[in-house]
Each structure stands twice: as C-alpha cells, then as structure tokens.
Amino acid sequence: MKFFIDTANLSQIKEAHDLGVLDGVTTNPSLMAKEGIKGQENIMKHYVDICNIVKGDVSAEVISVDFDGIVREGEALAKLHPQIVVKVPMIKEGVKAIRYFTEKGIRTNCTLVFSAGQAILAAKAGAAYVSPFIGRLDDINEDGIALIHQIVKIYHNYNFRTQVLAASIRHTLHITKCAEAGADVVTCPHQVILDLLKHPLTDSGLAKFLADAKK
Ligand code: G3P
C-alpha cells in the first residue's frame, strides 16, 4: 500500500519524506488556501516545489467545472512536472475530461467520489486513481470503509487498472482498515501518519530498556 500525504504544507511534506515512507502527495483547493497560496503563478510554483521534495505522484486539482476549462487547466498542470496527476471532480464534465486526458496520456485522479457507481465511471473513463472520501461518509453516518471494500472488489472483478486512493482519512484505524480492504493508496494528514508510530507499550518498553542498559 502506498502512503501519500494530504497537504500542501511544504514542511510537513518534507518531514514525511524524511521519515522515508512517503510515496506521493495529494492537494486540493482547500488545502492550498489553508497555506495562503494565492494567484495562478504562485499556485503553479507551489506544485513544482512539492514535486521537488517527493519522488512520487503529486495530485493538483482543477477548479473549472466545464469540459473546456478542465482540459485547459489540466493540460497546464500536467506540463508543470512529470509527477503531476490532474485531479478532476466526479461530475459529468469531469468524466468526459478524464477520458480526454487518458487518451492524451495525462494521468488523472478522480476526486469527490462517494459511491461505487461513481468509482465504476471513473475507472471506465481511465482515471489513474479514484479518491473515495471515507471520513466524509463516516461524518454522515455512512460506512466509508465498506465503500473501499466494495470498490476494491469491483475493480478486481473486472481488472480495472485504476488505483483506489482512500482519501479523507481521519485516524489510524482508517489506515489499517483501508490496508485490510486492499486500498492501493491512503492519503493522510501529517498527524495521522505520525500517530501510526504511537503505542504506550512501545514507550514503556523503551523506557525500561534504556533504564536497564544503564545498570
Ligand atoms: O484530499 C481530499 C480529502 O482527503 C479531504 O479530506 O478531511 O477534508 O474530508 P477531508
């Protein structure tokens, strides 16, 4: 399973990269705004800065919702760096644009996916990744992890090559449950990656080893 970090914060990306477990980055317009990155030139430069920190795929999201606009933005993003994956929303114009990008050899991440039916459409259009938002489903009392199981099974049944990228991860249990379900990728906030390190028995065990080593 690949580990992506879900942030546009360069220090967090660098810290996760330095841990040696990072395979890529996902961003979205909200995460870019959170970092205060404004203006087309700064936004484009920021994506290149991210690509220069990590070796893997970096998802950069379009903000147009019409086919021509999505294509224009996506082509500009894809030209920035070979690691860029164009993130496109699961809407009718988005699916058409994913098919267009697929035929042009531009890789896409279909975002804002909340059902297996949407995931089938994304795969049929040729998306490189599909991003089911599991935390947001849990928020409305639906079962985000069950959706990951369902999509993984469907893609397996038909040998769809689209990778299941579990997004909207809120805690470490989401990560381990996604791993059990067979998700190809989890994209996590920095803190959730760090939380994976934690166990009280590790802390107490280490304290005892260090104390005993002094004896
Ligand atoms: O990358 C998008 C996704 O991970 C959003 O997460 O926490 O805003 O639901 P969240």
Side-chain angles (χ1 to χ4, degrees):
M1 186 175 66
K2 289 185 204 151
F3 260 52
F4 288 3
I5 189 167
D6 197 27
T7 184
N9 182 291
L10 296 182
S11 335
Q12 290 182 2
I13 294 169
K14 174 99 179 49
E15 201 181 320
H17 172 262
D18 290 349
L19 192 60
V21 298
L22 195 63
D23 300 299
V25 179
T26 51
T27 64
N28 62 41
S30 306
L31 294 171
M32 293 291 276
K34 197 171 162 194
E35 299 309 311
I37 305 144
K38 289 185 192 133
Q40 191 59 7
E41 214 171 300
N42 290 334
I43 289 173
M44 298 304 240
K45 183 187 170 299
H46 199 79
Y47 289 135
V48 175
D49 289 345
I50 294 174
C51 290
N52 288 335
I53 299 173
V54 294
K55 283 203 183 76
D57 289 343
V58 174
S59 287
E61 188 159 342
V62 298
I63 50 170
S64 298
V65 288
D66 63 295
F67 176 80
D68 291 340
I70 295 171
V71 164
R72 195 169 46 249
E73 267 190 72
E75 286 181 334
L77 288 167
K79 270 189 202 135
L80 283 178
H81 200 284
Q83 285 166 236
I84 293 283
V85 175
V86 179
K87 209 169 174 189
V88 179
M90 169 40 76
I91 53 175
K92 195 202 269 183
E93 300 289 289
V95 171
K96 280 155 69 177
I98 289 169
R99 165 52 57 200
Y100 171 90
F101 288 133
T102 303
E103 278 160 22
K104 295 266 167 188
I106 293 173
R107 293 176 307 136
T108 54
N109 173 354
C110 184
T111 188
L112 290 167
V113 166
F114 295 93
S115 75
Q118 291 178 323
I120 292 172
L121 271 182
K124 292 288 291 177
Y129 296 102
V130 65
S131 289
F133 280 24
I134 63 175
R136 291 192 195 182
L137 280 170
D138 290 358
D139 290 346
I140 58 159
N141 288 324
E142 289 196 27
D143 189 344
I145 294 296
L147 178 62
I148 301 297
H149 278 278
Q150 202 180 6
I151 299 172
V152 168
K153 182 171 192 310
I154 291 168
Y155 282 9
H156 177 78
N157 286 349
Y158 296 100
N159 285 322
F160 283 129
R161 287 165 58 202
T162 303
Q163 294 190 55
V164 180
L165 191 168
S168 187
I169 298 274
R170 301 282 163 74
H171 44 69
T172 57
L173 191 60
H174 272 156
I175 298 178
T176 48
K177 290 284 175 195
C178 282
E180 284 176 3
D184 299 286
V185 190
V186 282
T187 188
C188 320
H190 186 225
Q191 188 54 52
V192 180
I193 297 176
L194 295 179
D195 285 347
L196 281 176
L197 291 163
K198 293 182 192 162
H199 197 285
L201 291 179
T202 305
D203 297 339
S204 58
L206 182 62
K208 178 152 180 19
F209 283 155
L210 295 180
D212 288 347
K214 285 188 191 142
K215 286 178 189 165

